[in-house]
Amino acid sequence: MTTRVEIRAAREELRSLRDAVHARSRRARDAGRMDEAKRLFAIFRKFQQRLLALWAAEKKILTRPAHTRSLASEVEAGARRARKAVQQMSDVAQALTQVATLLSYVDRLVKVLARG
Amino acid sequence: MFMIPNRWVVMPVVALAACSAPEFGDEIEVFSAAGSTALDRFDAAAAPLVAVEHAAARANAIAGGDPVFDFDPIACGDYLTAYTIAGPSGCALSSSLRIAEDAGSAHAAVDLTASLRSYMRALSVLIESGEPGEIEAAAQLALRNAGALAATLDPGNARSATFSRASGPFGSILGTYFEAWRLSQVRRVLRQTDPVIEEATRSLAAMIEDHVHPEWNAVAQRLLVACTDVVDPDTDDIRGPDYAAMLARCEAAQAEFARLDAETGRAAILAIAATHRSLLEAARARVDIDRLLKLAENLRALETGLQGVDP
């Protein structure tokens, strides 16, 4: 879990820096400051490559069989949660039907007693 | 005597009934069907790798004199001599091979797709389970019977008649309440599972890129370099045929990438996570105005019914 959170944070940080540098490069280019635009764009390229390198490292973790199996068991836990909710809903429906049936019997019983 | 306190019905229903699940079911069905198709494609693409891993494990086991499969002599003996009803399934050869736990195990990835399918099926069942109509009918019947019972016990009490008048709107409210509750269950499951669905699809995408279709990385790198060159400020100094060639390289790389992304199923796998996220957002934001208006109408009818005043 720690690895997952750390990688996500690193990815978001790199993306944010890359986007900021790209935006500044664009602004410099639009303003005609070409040297600055080129210098910033070279930094932008480095960030791109860093992001790719990070993804390559992340892929090694993501495709480890132990990790993949752990993900599979977490997904199964999600399926179990869904199935449990289905069971709860089924219980509610059954309870309501039972109440209706019970009241129906009580009604009949009272009528029989009233006649007697 | 049965009494129906207005508040216990009205308060929770108003709180929950702003959302309902009916049309949401279609969206989940589409997600489940499309997601399963994407996963089937992944399994088909990974099948040769699974076979290679299996063959390697078998060769290793044979070379080392290790067991390749288990054999139940009792089940199979009974089956062969027809003494019992044990069928062919009781006489199966179950593999006892140890698949190497190298990075990028196709076996593990295929197990993951099976879990994802199982989750999608459970989600579909959740959205379809417990017909609100059945709940409504059960609640209406309960109230009608309560009314009949009250009338039998105390024929002179005018209030007993209000039960049967209230049974229709009360049943509808309970049905709506049930749907709102179901939506809250769906929302909870989607929210709790969303992070792992995202990571699971990234894992499958990584598997495609590095193992199932290893040519993907070179194609992606070509796209990045060729099309970044086009927007590089240095490109402003390039004119004529060189510039045309640069544009052509970017276009060709983009077309190649798009083709491979679709063919390998990577785009579809990643779309599973994006769709799951949008389902979660839809479940968070869904407000069904028609249901809400209907609910208000039913609440008014219920209150009128309980007061013993004809609408």
Side-chain angles (χ1 to χ4, degrees):
Chain A
M1 182 57 102
T2 310
T3 311
R4 184 188 298 173
V5 172
E6 282 170 356
I7 287 179
R8 183 185 286 241
R11 187 169 61 233
E12 292 311 314
E13 195 173 345
L14 266 176
R15 272 191 186 147
S16 160
L17 286 168
R18 179 199 62 180
D19 295 352
V21 169
H22 187 241
R24 285 185 60 182
S25 171
R26 275 269 165 92
R27 279 201 296 277
R29 188 179 184 170
D30 292 345
R33 302 192 304 271
M34 293 310 288
D35 284 348
E36 185 187 349
K38 287 176 185 178
R39 187 173 54 78
L40 287 168
F41 201 85
I43 298 171
F44 164 77
R45 274 184 187 273
K46 282 182 184 160
F47 276 127
Q48 284 280 52
Q49 293 304 325
R50 285 283 168 87
L51 265 171
L52 274 186
L54 182 67
W55 174 228
E58 191 181 349
K59 283 196 285 190
K60 286 190 171 55
I61 297 169
L62 285 170
T63 56
R64 276 204 310 247
H67 186 79
T68 311
R69 293 214 165 87
S70 144
L71 281 172
S73 92
E74 285 185 65
V75 174
E76 280 294 342
R80 275 197 301 278
R81 278 195 289 270
R83 283 192 285 268
K84 191 176 167 193
V86 169
Q87 185 55 48
Q88 283 174 339
M89 281 192 282
S90 166
D91 292 347
V92 168
Q94 274 180 9
L96 278 168
T97 310
Q98 278 168 2
V99 166
T101 312
L102 189 67
L103 283 168
S104 164
Y105 284 130
V106 172
D107 178 32
R108 279 181 219 163
L109 182 66
V110 169
K111 279 176 183 162
V112 169
L113 290 173
R115 267 187 236 129
Chain B
M1 175 71 66
F2 271 91
M3 293 294 286
I4 301 179
N6 294 7
R7 287 184 202 86
W8 78 250
V9 178
V10 176
M11 296 308 288
V13 171
V14 168
L16 279 168
C19 307
S20 73
E23 74 213 59
F24 201 63
D26 293 343
E27 293 156 2
I28 287 192
E29 281 298 315
V30 170
F31 166 69
S32 183
S36 292
T37 305
L39 296 170
D40 289 347
R41 282 176 59 187
F42 178 89
D43 283 358
L49 273 185
V50 171
V52 167
E53 285 174 12
H54 191 270
R58 185 183 170 98
N60 279 341
I62 291 169
D66 296 328
V68 171
F69 49 71
D70 286 331
F71 175 75
D72 182 348
I74 296 171
C76 292
D78 288 350
Y79 172 62
L80 293 172
T81 51
Y83 286 144
T84 71
I85 56 166
S89 59
C91 183
L93 301 179
S94 58
S95 173
S96 56
L97 286 175
R98 288 188 183 168
I99 307 292
E101 292 284 283
D102 297 333
S105 159
H107 273 84
V110 168
D111 286 349
L112 178 57
T113 64
S115 297
L116 283 166
R117 264 192 221 90
S118 159
Y119 170 69
M120 288 169 179
R121 269 197 305 276
L123 210 55
S124 291
V125 172
L126 177 57
I127 203 75
E128 285 170 356
S129 62
E131 258 321 294
E134 288 171 21
I135 303 286
E136 279 186 40
Q140 284 171 4
L141 182 62
L143 222 53
R144 274 200 304 274
N145 287 331
L149 178 62
T152 312
L153 291 171
D154 185 7
N157 192 331
R159 208 167 166 72
S160 61
T162 62
F163 284 108
S164 39
R165 266 203 298 276
S167 68
F170 178 70
S172 298
I173 285 169
L174 219 52
T176 308
Y177 179 86
F178 183 78
E179 283 187 10
W181 186 53
R182 170 163 58 183
L183 184 66
S184 76
Q185 296 291 310
V186 170
R187 190 165 43 220
R188 187 176 59 84
V189 170
L190 288 171
R191 191 187 63 241
Q192 289 176 337
T193 320
D194 195 63
V196 75
I197 294 292
E198 193 201 342
E199 186 152 349
T201 54
R202 287 173 74 82
S203 170
L204 293 176
M207 190 71 197
I208 289 172
E209 293 178 19
D210 283 5
H211 301 279
V212 181
H213 291 282
E215 72 273 25
W216 190 92
N217 286 305
V219 172
Q221 185 69 21
R222 270 202 294 281
L223 168 69
L224 194 70
V225 171
C227 291
T228 306
D229 282 351
V230 170
V231 293
D232 193 316
D234 278 332
T235 307
D236 292 355
D237 305 330
I238 300 173
R239 299 282 183 275
D242 286 351
Y243 184 53
M246 188 179 273
L247 292 176
R249 270 200 302 278
C250 171
E251 284 169 336
Q254 202 281 331
E256 187 185 18
F257 177 84
R259 179 189 57 74
L260 191 65
D261 214 29
E263 274 179 15
T264 58
R266 178 184 169 277
I269 290 286
L270 289 174
I272 289 176
T275 311
H276 194 272
R277 175 61 53 85
S278 61
L279 280 175
L280 172 60
E281 281 162 9
R284 275 179 177 151
R286 183 60 53 94
V287 175
D288 190 328
I289 298 299
D290 288 343
R291 291 256 155 192
L292 197 61
L293 291 174
K294 183 72 182 164
L295 176 74
E297 189 185 312
N298 286 333
L299 285 172
R300 273 197 301 275
L302 178 63
E303 282 201 313
T304 309
L306 289 175
Q307 285 159 8
V309 179
D310 288 326

